[in-house]
Amino acid sequence: MKDNSVHYVCRECGHIENKWNGRCPVCGSWNSFDEEKTVPVQKGRTEPQTVIADTVQRLSDIPYESTMRVSSGIEELDRVLGGGVMRPSSVLVGGEPGIGKSTIMMQMLSFLSSSAPVLYVSGEESPSQVRLRAERLGLDTKNLSIFCDTRLETLSETIEKHSPGYIVIDSLQTLYSASVASSAGSPNQIKVCCMELSLLAKKFGASVFFIAHVTKDGLIAGPKIVEHIVDTVLYFESAETGMRLLRASKNRFGSVDEIGLFTMDAKGLHGVKDPSSLFLSSRGGNALPSGIAFTSVVEGSRTFSVEIQALVVPARSGYQRIYSDRIDNARVSRVAAILQKHAGLNLSDQDIYVNVAGGMKLSEVSIELALALALYSSKEDIPLRSSVAAFGELSLAGEVRPVSFAERRLKNLADMGFSEVLTAENKYGLSMNIKRVDNIKAALIAAFSARK
């Protein structure tokens, strides 16, 4: 007889199946289904629910105060959050182990504790471990409160009793509710605990930060619905230079285009105010090697120059393979096809390696022209002049198309010492040699002074 009280939940996306599958049909993950039991609700018994407001109100009558957004004390974190911490709100913070999630949350709570009660909920460290870490960071701990019980019901009672203004849950995967018949960290536990605490924080006007584990692919572990429940989703990434990058993939209170840049030492995380030259390799005035091209990217309110590196070598297997961690493989493949079709550069039997100096991930279309120059430079073994930079989108017809914020990009490149820029327009009144290129063939002629 079929047991209807048992079902299987994908730990990656939360998809539910009545029987175990080796591969999730929704997200494609292998061996990701966990068995869970459904506890039937007894008659006359209801599950605990948190009610934010039980009356119908006009939206125009809802009060809004500018003090609902406060500074976290960390400028780079405020930038990514959209100007500061909102009250009430719920924020999910994900990142690799040891990247600094707990550190930045502790630094934030130490600053905020002077203006409102704060609560640090630790499910992975003892109170003495947390205190030692706070003292190592040189933080003021006299107003920091810690709670090390991760039972949802007990935690909810504590929050109602002490009414903290800011709460950090370290981590979401350690929370446990007695109303869910599964172990801590299961998709159902994560979903129920996140929903309950998010609603509770809104009810009491608090801000709650959930520190979350990530999968081997860098995505937040657990059901995808958790990212829909919270107001903001932040990701910590590590760059090759040792810097930490903080991004928002969702933000109900601000833009998702901003990034925060941090360095880390024994005293914690420190914001980087001027990142202009951090993603350029220093060569001391020496000539560029082949396969190097420069461009300018815009991330929110910031503009900085980056170095794109390409290596094109004959394929061992006879067919093309692309290795690119920092630029999407599909974009590299598309630019290579454009070069082959419109510039006569055969890359179909070549292995292509692409990297970005400093380890930053690039997703803008503006990098495509510089990427094409780097690929051509490596294949033909002709280095670009060190004074040349380029930005522009490439169409499938081989056209170079204009991109947004061109003036900001040009100003940044001028500040970094570039004197020649290849782009789709040259109507800007700057003291630079701005060359307009309409297609990829014209760009190669302008960059390498060789007609193709």
Side-chain angles (χ1 to χ4, degrees):
M1 183 176 177
K2 187 176 180 180
D3 187 0
N4 293 325
S5 66
V6 176
H7 57 249
Y8 299 86
V9 183
C10 175
R11 74 176 73 96
E12 300 295 336
C13 68
H15 177 67
I16 299 174
E17 288 282 341
N18 292 327
K19 61 180 181 179
W20 188 87
N21 283 345
R23 185 173 186 264
C24 177
V26 175
C27 67
S29 301
W30 289 93
N31 299 320
S32 61
F33 279 98
D34 296 321
E35 179 182 306
E36 288 194 357
K37 291 185 177 180
T38 304
V39 178
V41 180
Q42 301 174 1
K43 288 185 177 181
R45 180 188 170 199
T46 57
E47 295 295 331
Q49 293 182 351
T50 300
V51 178
I52 300 176
D54 57 359
T55 59
V56 177
Q57 300 170 281
R58 290 182 183 274
L59 188 59
S60 59
D61 295 336
I62 306 298
Y64 175 83
E65 301 175 8
S66 58
T67 53
M68 292 174 69
R69 189 188 292 274
V70 298
S71 173
S72 66
I74 305 171
E75 185 178 346
E76 295 299 298
L77 178 58
D78 288 345
R79 181 193 302 273
V80 179
L81 288 173
V85 182
M86 285 290 295
R87 288 185 61 183
S89 67
S90 53
V91 181
L92 189 63
V93 184
E96 297 175 357
I99 202 169
K101 303 183 297 295
S102 300
T103 298
I104 195 172
M105 291 293 100
M106 185 67 74
Q107 290 178 249
M108 178 192 71
L109 285 186
S110 178
F111 177 83
L112 294 172
S113 64
S114 61
S115 58
V118 299
L119 180 65
Y120 187 89
V121 181
S122 176
E124 300 177 350
E125 296 178 286
S126 67
S128 58
Q129 286 178 307
V130 176
R131 179 179 176 181
L132 283 172
R133 177 155 49 87
E135 291 184 348
R136 175 177 58 81
L137 297 173
L139 302 177
D140 183 5
T141 60
K142 63 182 180 182
N143 293 324
L144 283 173
S145 299
I146 186 171
F147 186 70
C148 290
D149 192 334
T150 55
R151 292 174 296 173
L152 177 63
E153 291 75 18
T154 307
L155 178 56
S156 298
E157 291 175 3
T158 302
I159 292 174
E160 292 186 23
K161 179 179 178 181
H162 295 278
S163 298
Y166 305 95
I167 308 161
V168 170
I169 310 294
D170 189 5
S171 65
L172 177 60
Q173 277 79 5
T174 62
L175 294 180
Y176 174 82
S177 173
S179 65
V180 180
S182 58
S183 60
S186 68
N188 263 0
Q189 286 284 5
I190 293 173
K191 179 178 65 175
V192 169
C193 294
C194 181
M195 174 69 80
E196 184 72 17
L197 290 177
S198 295
L199 294 177
L200 194 65
K202 288 178 171 61
K203 179 180 178 181
F204 290 98
S207 295
V208 58
F209 290 77
F210 299 101
I211 296 177
H213 299 166
V214 294
T215 65
K216 63 181 180 180
D217 297 322
L219 303 175
I220 291 176
K224 198 69 175 177
I225 191 174
V226 170
E227 298 187 32
H228 293 279
I229 293 172
V230 299
D231 300 312
T232 305
V233 179
L234 305 181
Y235 279 92
F236 252 123
E237 302 171 4
S238 179
E240 294 172 359
T241 56
M243 279 200 313
R244 271 67 168 171
L245 281 72
L246 184 64
R247 297 178 181 271
S249 64
K250 171 188 176 181
N251 192 354
R252 287 177 178 156
F253 308 118
S255 170
V256 295
D257 296 326
E258 296 285 358
I259 65 169
L261 298 172
F262 298 89
T263 57
M264 192 172 186
D265 58 21
K267 292 297 183 180
L269 289 161
H270 309 281
V272 177
K273 294 185 178 180
D274 184 14
S276 299
S277 61
L278 290 174
F279 300 100
L280 296 178
S281 300
S282 175
R283 296 186 172 85
N286 297 328
L288 288 180
S290 59
I292 301 295
F294 300 100
T295 188
S296 180
V297 297
V298 175
E299 295 282 352
S301 60
R302 282 178 156 162
T303 308
F304 42 88
S305 305
V306 295
E307 174 185 307
I308 297 177
Q309 305 166 351
L311 175 63
V312 179
V313 295
R316 297 177 184 176
S317 57
Y319 62 91
Q320 184 187 77
R321 289 182 297 179
I322 295 175
Y323 304 88
S324 177
D325 291 333
R326 304 303 174 182
I327 300 176
D328 184 56
N329 278 1
R331 171 163 282 134
V332 177
S333 180
R334 186 168 63 250
V335 171
I338 293 170
L339 282 170
Q340 182 159 334
K341 172 68 176 177
H342 301 286
L345 188 70
N346 185 18
L347 297 173
S348 59
D349 58 350
Q350 304 289 307
D351 283 344
I352 298 176
Y353 298 81
V354 175
N355 188 36
V356 178
M360 184 177 180
K361 291 184 178 180
L362 302 180
S363 58
E364 274 197 292
V365 296
S366 66
I367 66 171
E368 291 179 350
L369 179 56
L371 175 59
L373 297 182
L375 291 172
Y376 181 90
S377 172
S378 178
K379 178 64 168 62
E380 298 297 307
D381 199 20
I382 305 174
L384 272 166
R385 298 184 297 278
S386 59
S387 60
V388 174
F391 61 85
E393 177 186 0
L394 293 181
S395 74
L396 295 181
E399 303 165 311
V400 179
R401 305 181 67 177
V403 294
S404 58
F405 307 113
E407 291 189 67
R408 285 171 56 181
R409 300 176 199 271
L410 289 168
K411 185 178 184 305
N412 169 253
L413 292 171
D415 292 341
M416 297 309 300
F418 294 98
S419 58
E420 302 175 68
V421 180
L422 309 182
T423 184
E425 297 178 296
N426 62 353
K427 60 183 181 182
Y428 309 102
L430 298 174
S431 56
M432 298 175 67
N433 183 11
I434 303 171
K435 298 180 179 179
R436 175 177 176 175
V437 288
D438 296 322
N439 53 62
I440 185 61
K441 195 174 278 190
L444 294 175
I445 294 172
F448 298 99
S449 300
R451 185 170 297 278
K452 299 303 297 175

